[in-house]
Amino acid sequence: MELYIDTANLDQIRQAHELGVLDGVTTNPTLIAKEGVDYGTRLADICKVVAGPVSAEVIATTYHEMLAEGKDRASIADNIVVKLPSTIDGLRACKALSDQGVRTNMTLCFQALQALMVAKAGAYLVSPFIGRIDDIGEDGMELIVKIRQIYDNYGLPTKVLAASIRHPNHLLQCALAGADVATVPFAVIAKIMNHPLTDIGLEQFLADYRKAFG
Ligand code: E4P
């Protein structure tokens, strides 16, 4: 499974990149707003750090505007993936951009049929939002399972990018369900390698060694 970081914060991206296991980055307007920086400039800076796919979300909501903004974002760097909402206009823009060789990430996917449609339109990635579905008392992971099954049934090459991940167990369940990619906040990445038994075991090994050899 590929691992992306879900942030527009350059320090977090650099730290995650230094771990050597980072495959890409996703950003969105909220994450950019938190940073208070120009979206295009930040994307260019991120692409200098990470060679893998960097998702750049459009602000536009109509077909023609999405197309223009998507092309503009795609010109920032070769690894930019244009992120579009999973709406009717977004679907049309996905098809047009994909036909022109621009990779797309179809975001805000909350039902499996949206995922089927965007795959038919040539999307490179689809982003089902697990955490936000859990937030309304439903099971976000079921959506990952359904999309995986539909894509496998028809051999659709669109990658399932599990998004809105809130904790390590989300990540584990995504891996078990066969998500191709998971995009994860830095706080979750920081927790992945933590286990109390690892810490206790390490402490014990070192104490035993020190006792024997000083
Ligand atoms: C995905 O690309 C989105 O940026 C993100 O995962 C949304 O997560 P949230 O629901 O925690 O805002």
Side-chain angles (χ1 to χ4, degrees):
M1 184 171 66
E2 291 175 66
L3 182 71
Y4 292 2
I5 189 168
D6 193 30
T7 185
N9 183 283
L10 216 44
D11 287 338
Q12 291 183 353
I13 292 168
R14 284 200 189 101
Q15 282 183 61
H17 175 68
E18 281 166 10
L19 296 176
V21 294
L22 188 70
D23 298 296
V25 179
T26 51
T27 65
N28 66 38
T30 301
L31 295 172
I32 281 289
K34 271 188 205 162
E35 298 299 310
V37 292
D38 174 71
Y39 204 169
T41 308
R42 180 51 57 94
L43 287 166
D45 289 342
I46 294 171
C47 290
K48 282 177 200 149
V49 178
V50 177
V54 174
S55 286
E57 187 158 344
V58 298
I59 309 299
T61 54
T62 61
Y63 168 69
H64 290 289
E65 286 171 347
M66 279 191 218
L67 214 53
E69 197 183 332
K71 282 184 198 166
D72 187 51
R73 293 284 183 237
S75 70
I76 292 173
D78 287 347
N79 54 328
I80 288 284
V81 173
V82 175
K83 204 173 178 191
L84 302 162
S86 297
T87 58
I88 283 286
D89 282 56
L91 181 69
R92 204 177 149 203
C94 172
K95 174 70 178 145
L97 288 170
S98 303
D99 284 352
Q100 291 170 38
V102 175
R103 291 186 296 178
T104 56
N105 172 1
M106 298 307 289
T107 192
L108 293 166
C109 172
F110 291 98
Q111 60 143 323
L113 288 177
Q114 286 175 306
L116 174 60
M117 295 299 278
V118 304
K120 285 175 67 66
Y124 173 67
L125 294 160
V126 66
S127 291
F129 275 40
I130 305 169
R132 293 193 192 189
I133 295 177
D134 287 358
D135 287 346
I136 59 161
E138 293 176 15
D139 184 0
M141 208 55 63
E142 276 180 13
L143 180 57
I144 302 289
V145 172
K146 283 181 189 168
I147 298 172
R148 179 74 282 149
Q149 187 178 332
I150 291 170
Y151 283 7
D152 288 349
N153 284 350
Y154 300 105
L156 295 166
T158 302
K159 292 186 186 193
V160 182
L161 191 175
S164 189
I165 286 183
R166 304 277 166 77
H167 46 71
N169 193 42
H170 268 154
L171 189 58
L172 172 64
Q173 297 307 320
C174 286
L176 292 170
D180 298 291
V181 192
T183 189
V184 178
F186 185 78
V188 174
I189 293 180
K191 286 179 190 159
I192 294 172
M193 295 300 287
N194 282 351
H195 197 287
L197 290 180
T198 304
D199 297 340
I200 292 167
L202 181 60
E203 207 175 303
Q204 184 69 58
F205 283 155
L206 296 179
D208 289 346
Y209 188 87
R210 275 195 296 266
K211 210 159 122 190
F213 303 108

